[in-house]
């Protein structure tokens, strides 16, 4: 895990404002869901923004499954054998940890999370914006619940279903009636004349 030094000046003020957006109640909900979704012997972190950050980055599903939590989370939303992230063993090497975060973000977007809801790697890696991390996880839970494909685990009241586009279905008779109406409208316009109309920019003749 990256250790950031103290922030000074404007960056410190910005960081404080960002941290005000972090929600401890939301953290508890997300921990409940991740534990339920991932299964296994997953230990819960002590409540705090920093502990949540460390847990997501360094936590593993169990002693026998040395798989990073975020990777396991997104994989658990797919059928067995179709997981988007191949198993990566836990490591303390910084570039490997960052690679796992990046793979999770790519997989989350491919799963259906909007690009605008995806946090940046440094938001988690350096703890720059853990509120953004919470938003991504909430969006992921909402997409999983909305898909309703049997892979979501946990309380169905934890997330809101995303609005689905309403698609109207028309019968063949309704389509034929619509075509007839368009045909009648076109026919009624055939006798229209442009006589007396003045083109834009042309001179009018005054009689």
């Amino acid at each position: 895990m990256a250790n950031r030094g103290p922030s000074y000046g404007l960056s410190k003020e910005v960081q404080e404002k960002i941290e005000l957006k972090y929600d401890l109640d939301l953290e508890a909900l997300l921990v409940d869901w991740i534990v339920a979704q991932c299964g296994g012997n997953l230990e819960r972190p002590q409540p705090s923004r920093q502990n949540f950050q460390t847990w997501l980055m360094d936590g593993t599903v169990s002693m026998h499954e040395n798989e990073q939590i975020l990777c396991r989370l997104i994989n658990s939303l797919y059928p067995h054998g179709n997981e988007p992230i191949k198993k990566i063993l836990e490591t303390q090497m910084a570039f490997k940890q960052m690679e796992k975060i990046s793979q999770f973000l790519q997989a989350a977007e491919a799963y259906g999370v909007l690009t605008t809801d995806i946090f940046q790697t440094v938001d988690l890696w350096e703890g720059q914006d853990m509120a953004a991390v919470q938003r991504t996880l909430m969006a992921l839970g909402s997409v999983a619940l909305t898909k309703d494909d049997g892979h979501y685990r946990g309380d169905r009241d934890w997330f809101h279903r995303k609005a689905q586009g309403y698609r109207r279905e028309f019968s063949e008779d309704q389509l034929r009636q619509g075509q007839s109406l368009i045909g009648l409208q076109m026919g009624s316009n055939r006798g229209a004349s442009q006589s007396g109309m003045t083109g834009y920019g042309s001179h009018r003749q005054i009689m």
Side-chain angles (χ1 to χ4, degrees):
M1 176 179 169
N3 293 317
R4 301 180 64 221
S7 297
Y8 298 99
L10 180 61
S11 63
K12 180 180 180 181
E13 294 177 4
V14 171
Q15 186 66 34
E16 288 174 348
K17 289 180 180 179
I18 290 173
E19 290 176 1
L20 286 175
K21 296 186 294 182
Y22 187 80
D23 191 329
L24 282 173
D25 291 333
L26 197 57
E27 175 194 302
L29 184 153
L30 289 169
V31 169
D32 285 342
W33 175 51
I34 292 171
V35 169
Q37 186 68 43
C38 290
N41 186 21
L42 185 58
E43 294 185 2
R44 296 169 178 268
Q46 290 296 316
S48 82
R49 183 186 62 81
Q50 186 171 1
N51 286 340
F52 188 57
Q53 175 196 4
T54 303
W55 186 66
L56 292 177
M57 288 178 51
D58 300 336
T60 54
V61 177
S62 71
M63 293 179 63
H64 303 291
E65 293 183 77
N66 234 10
E67 189 177 19
Q68 197 252 11
I69 288 174
L70 289 178
C71 296
R72 176 59 179 267
L73 176 62
I74 191 68
N75 282 346
S76 70
L77 298 173
Y78 284 83
H80 180 68
N82 292 333
E83 295 90 345
I85 301 179
K86 301 304 180 182
K87 189 172 182 180
I88 304 175
L89 294 179
E90 180 62 20
T91 176
Q92 296 302 314
M93 298 176 67
F95 77 94
K96 281 293 184 182
Q97 290 183 329
M98 294 184 71
E99 179 186 356
K100 288 186 290 186
I101 297 172
S102 179
Q103 288 184 325
F104 164 77
L105 295 175
Q106 293 174 10
E109 187 171 358
Y111 185 72
V113 177
L114 297 178
T115 304
T116 52
D117 289 330
I118 296 290
F119 67 83
Q120 302 296 312
T121 301
V122 293
D123 292 336
L124 176 58
W125 176 250
E126 297 185 0
Q128 289 189 3
D129 192 352
M130 288 302 296
V133 176
Q134 288 186 320
R135 287 195 299 272
T136 298
L137 293 173
M138 287 298 295
L140 180 63
S142 293
V143 173
L145 181 64
T146 304
K147 283 179 179 287
D148 199 19
D149 56 6
H151 297 293
Y152 173 85
R153 304 187 190 106
D155 193 321
R156 304 183 74 83
D157 292 330
W158 283 341
F159 303 99
H160 294 293
R161 289 181 179 274
K162 288 189 172 291
Q164 299 292 294
Y166 179 67
R167 181 179 177 182
R168 295 188 63 183
E169 299 289 345
F170 295 96
S171 66
E172 291 185 7
D173 288 340
Q174 288 173 319
L175 290 173
R176 280 196 294 268
Q177 290 174 6
Q179 290 173 348
S180 298
L181 179 60
I182 292 173
L184 288 172
Q185 290 175 338
M186 291 179 63
S188 65
N189 290 333
R190 283 174 184 164
S193 170
Q194 290 183 342
S195 61
M197 297 180 63
T198 303
Y200 178 77
S202 62
H203 297 288
R204 295 185 62 188
Q205 294 182 347
I206 301 176
M207 307 298 293

